[in-house]
């Protein structure tokens, strides 16, 4: 009962007046009965006069407080003796918690340290090889960051595994390689065990594709365009890649979108020669592939007429210098002084037919063969600014052959033939003016109808 009463009064603080009133009982030894009157030694008159009253009171209060504190200590001791079992249980709980914390710390020390895993990830994974491909920008990658995502025990306490993510950065691309690394304990240390597993590599573009590479690798685009044409049934003798192997290429539109990893552009290819030209217009779109870090063709279209020959380079003025005459008999060389003037005003290709139109000035031979080669003959007829339309009839061996028939004349007919380019001389150009003259001759005094032909050959030169 005394212990229960002590517990009830444990938290109570006694009133100060009550404490002072019971000062004699509190200061007496435990178990002795206090006397009714406290006896003190006598005090001399001088001593009483020199000691202030408040100091005496302070000693009384101090004594009372000391007695109170000793009583509280005694109460706590009694409480501990009464609840020895509860105290033991609390102590066990504290010990258990400490053991658990120690176990966690001990377990953590049984795994490879993060610093070891970071160094291992750089050494075991290595920097990925990067290829810019046909349209990307060349770059050099370096390890930028290592993230240790987790470290955990393996099949037993002597094996462990770690999941890592290594970031490699350059100026134009960034790569992330994730993997799981294995470890085994050897002589108390953790060492690498086996090859990295679950290795995955992904790429991210940091800059747009290289427009200069798009131009320089137009053959890649042309080859894909050829494949599209072949799938559509176009099995021509020549491919776009062959036609535009040495073409002039210009980038007409370039619209990259780095956030979406895409780029749209238009490119024009022009192959211009002395007498013909070809034009090809491509519209394409590139997409950045996170699997290989390259910009690849996602869509491509080629404009119609990319394989169509144009004779536009022929448009202009041409001057002909007499070279020779071909005929079956004696020659009339009147064309040497007359020369030839050719003016081409237009060049059109429609339905696979190429034509040029213009005017021509020169001389024809409406006469018999002279008795011997002559500088001119009666019957030579000059013509000036006669309209013509010449059609491409052959392009074998690198030579373009165009033929035109001039308006019919009373004395006969005149044809114009243009031979442009030679296998060994692509810029060579000649014009042939052929006169066919209907003549009635005689053989053994009998009249005979015959056709006399004179072909004057001229070397053509463009007039600037």
């Amino acid at each position: 009962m005394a212990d229960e009463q002590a517990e009830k009064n444990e938290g109570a603080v006694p009133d100060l007046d009550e404490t002072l009133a019971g000062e004699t009982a509190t200061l007496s030894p435990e178990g002795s009965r206090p006397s009714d009157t406290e006896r003190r030694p006598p005090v001399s008159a001088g001593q009483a006069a020199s000691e202030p009253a408040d100091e005496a009171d302070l000693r009384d209060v101090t004594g009372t407080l000391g007695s109170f504190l000793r009583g509280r200590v005694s109460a706590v001791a009694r409480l501990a003796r009464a609840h020895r079992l509860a105290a033991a249980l609390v102590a066990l709980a504290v010990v258990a918690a400490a053991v658990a914390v120690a176990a966690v710390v001990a377990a953590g020390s049984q795994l490879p340290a993060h610093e070891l895993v970071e160094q291992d990830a750089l050494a075991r994974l290595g920097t990925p090889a990067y290829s810019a491909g046909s349209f990307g920008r060349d770059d050099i990658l370096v390890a930028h960051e290592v993230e240790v995502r987790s470290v955990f025990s393996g099949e037993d306490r002597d094996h462990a595994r770690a999941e890592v993510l290594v970031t490699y950065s350059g100026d134009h691309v960034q790569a992330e390689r994730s993997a799981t690394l294995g470890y085994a304990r050897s002589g108390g240390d953790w060492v690498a065990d086996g090859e990295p597993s679950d290795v995955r590599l992904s790429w991210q573009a940091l800059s747009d594709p290289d427009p200069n590479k798009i131009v320089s690798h137009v053959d890649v685009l042309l080859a894909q365009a050829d494949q599209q044409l072949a799938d559509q049934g176009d099995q021509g003798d020549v491919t776009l890649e062959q036609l535009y192997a040495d073409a002039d290429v210009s980038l007409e539109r370039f619209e990259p979108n780095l956030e979406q990893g895409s780029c749209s552009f238009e490119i024009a290819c022009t192959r211009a020669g002395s007498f013909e030209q070809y034009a090809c217009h491509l519209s394409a779109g590139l997409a950045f592939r996170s699997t290989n870090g390259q910009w690849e063709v996602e869509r491509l279209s080629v404009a119609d007429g990319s394989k169509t020959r144009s004779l536009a380079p022929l448009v202009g003025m041409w001057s002909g210098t007499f070279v020779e005459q071909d005929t079956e008999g004696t020659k009339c060389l009147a064309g040497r002084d007359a020369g030839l003037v050719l003016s081409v005003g237009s060049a059109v290709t429609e339905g696979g037919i190429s034509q040029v139109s213009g005017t021509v000035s020169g001389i024809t031979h409406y006469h018999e063969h002279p008795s011997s080669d002559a500088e001119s003959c009666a019957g030579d007829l000059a013509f000036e600014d006669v309209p013509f339309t010449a059609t491409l009839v052959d392009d074998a061996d690198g030579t373009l052959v165009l033929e035109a028939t001039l308006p019919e004349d009373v004395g006969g007919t005149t044809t114009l033939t243009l031979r442009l380019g030679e296998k060994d001389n692509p810029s060579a150009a000649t014009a042939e003016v052929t006169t066919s003259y209907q003549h009635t001759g005689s053989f053994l005094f009998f009249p005979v109808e015959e056709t006399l032909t004179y072909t004057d050959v001229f070397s053509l030169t463009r007039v600037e």
Side-chain angles (χ1 to χ4, degrees):
M1 293 297 289
D3 292 342
E4 293 179 3
Q5 186 63 34
E7 289 183 15
K8 292 179 181 180
N9 296 334
E10 181 180 358
V13 179
D15 184 81
L16 183 57
D17 293 335
E18 294 176 357
T19 302
L20 294 175
E23 180 182 3
T24 303
T26 303
L27 296 177
S28 62
E30 184 179 354
S32 64
R33 295 182 61 185
S35 60
D36 294 336
T37 303
E38 181 181 1
R39 299 185 179 274
R40 298 183 181 180
V43 179
S44 64
Q47 183 181 7
S50 62
E51 182 178 26
D54 54 355
E55 290 184 7
D57 293 339
L58 179 59
R59 284 198 304 271
D60 293 340
V61 172
T62 300
T64 302
L65 289 176
S67 176
F68 170 73
L69 292 175
R70 285 192 294 274
R72 300 307 297 164
V73 171
S74 298
V76 171
R78 289 194 301 272
L79 179 62
R81 287 193 297 271
H83 296 277
R84 194 173 288 113
L85 177 59
L89 293 177
V90 171
L92 288 176
V94 172
V95 172
V99 171
V101 172
V104 171
V105 173
S109 65
Q110 299 303 311
L111 296 174
H114 278 213
E115 292 78 4
L116 172 63
V117 175
E118 290 176 356
Q119 297 174 4
D120 235 13
L122 294 175
R124 297 174 67 181
L125 295 180
T127 303
Y130 170 67
S131 172
S134 298
F135 310 110
R137 300 176 187 268
D138 296 331
D139 208 353
I140 298 176
L141 298 181
V142 294
H144 176 68
E145 181 182 8
V146 179
E147 177 186 351
V148 180
R149 292 181 165 179
S150 63
V151 182
F152 50 93
S153 298
E155 57 271 21
D156 54 50
R157 68 178 185 177
D158 290 330
H159 291 82
R161 298 167 71 83
E163 293 181 349
V164 297
L165 176 68
V166 185
T167 302
Y168 308 87
S169 296
D171 293 330
H172 308 297
V173 293
Q174 176 176 290
E176 290 185 341
R177 174 175 276 168
S178 62
T180 300
L181 306 179
Y183 291 90
R185 193 188 296 276
S186 176
D189 297 326
W190 288 104
V191 296
D193 182 33
E195 295 296 325
S197 59
D198 298 329
V199 180
R200 299 179 182 180
L201 181 64
S202 63
W203 299 83
Q204 179 182 353
L206 301 180
S207 64
D208 306 326
D210 190 342
N212 294 325
K213 281 195 172 182
I214 292 177
V215 172
S216 62
H217 288 97
V218 69
D219 58 315
V220 176
L221 302 172
L222 293 172
Q224 293 197 24
D226 280 325
Q227 186 59 52
Q228 288 185 7
L229 294 176
D231 294 341
Q232 296 169 6
D234 183 350
Q235 303 292 339
D237 295 334
V238 62
T239 66
L240 293 175
E241 189 175 3
Q242 293 170 335
L243 270 178
Y244 297 99
D246 299 318
D248 294 327
V249 182
S250 62
L251 190 61
E252 297 186 340
R253 182 174 63 87
F254 182 71
E255 297 178 356
N257 188 326
L258 188 58
E259 292 184 358
Q260 296 182 3
S262 63
C263 178
S264 298
F265 63 90
E266 293 181 2
I267 198 166
C269 304
T270 304
R271 173 190 164 189
S274 300
F275 314 111
E276 63 178 348
Q277 71 179 25
Y278 293 86
C280 176
H281 191 273
L282 298 171
S283 178
L286 302 179
F288 185 82
R289 304 302 185 193
S290 60
T291 54
N292 59 13
Q294 295 183 357
W295 291 92
E296 297 181 351
V297 179
E298 186 176 43
R299 59 176 179 81
L300 177 67
S301 62
V302 56
D304 294 338
S306 295
K307 291 185 178 182
T308 301
R309 175 191 285 113
S310 170
L311 299 177
L314 284 175
V315 174
M317 295 292 295
W318 298 80
S319 175
T321 302
F322 182 81
V323 176
E324 63 180 357
Q325 184 182 78
D326 183 18
T327 185
E328 294 181 357
T330 56
K331 299 179 180 181
C332 175
L333 304 179
R336 181 171 54 188
D337 293 333
L340 185 74
V341 177
L342 194 68
S343 176
V344 180
S346 64
V348 178
T349 299
E350 292 181 353
I353 299 175
S354 297
Q355 295 180 321
V356 296
S357 299
T359 60
V360 60
S361 301
I363 195 168
T364 60
H365 304 278
Y366 292 149
H367 56 76
E368 298 179 52
H369 287 293
S371 57
S372 62
D373 291 348
E375 293 184 0
S376 64
C377 299
D380 289 335
L381 179 64
F383 60 91
E384 186 174 357
D385 295 334
V386 174
F388 75 91
T389 297
T391 302
L392 180 65
V393 295
D394 193 9
D395 60 356
D397 298 326
T399 300
L400 304 180
V401 179
L402 295 91
E403 293 182 350
T405 299
L406 302 184
E408 187 175 2
D409 203 339
V410 175
T413 60
T414 303
T415 60
L416 174 65
T417 301
L418 303 178
R419 299 184 185 277
L420 309 173
E422 296 176 357
K423 184 176 182 180
D424 297 328
N425 187 6
S427 62
T430 60
E432 300 173 0
V433 178
T434 301
T435 302
S436 295
Y437 171 60
Q438 302 296 325
H439 172 68
T440 302
S442 64
F443 180 75
L444 298 177
F445 304 104
F446 291 96
V448 177
E449 294 293 330
E450 60 181 352
T451 301
L452 302 179
T453 303
Y454 302 89
T455 300
D456 291 338
V457 179
F458 299 86
S459 174
L460 292 177
T461 305
R462 182 184 289 277
V463 178
E464 300 296 337

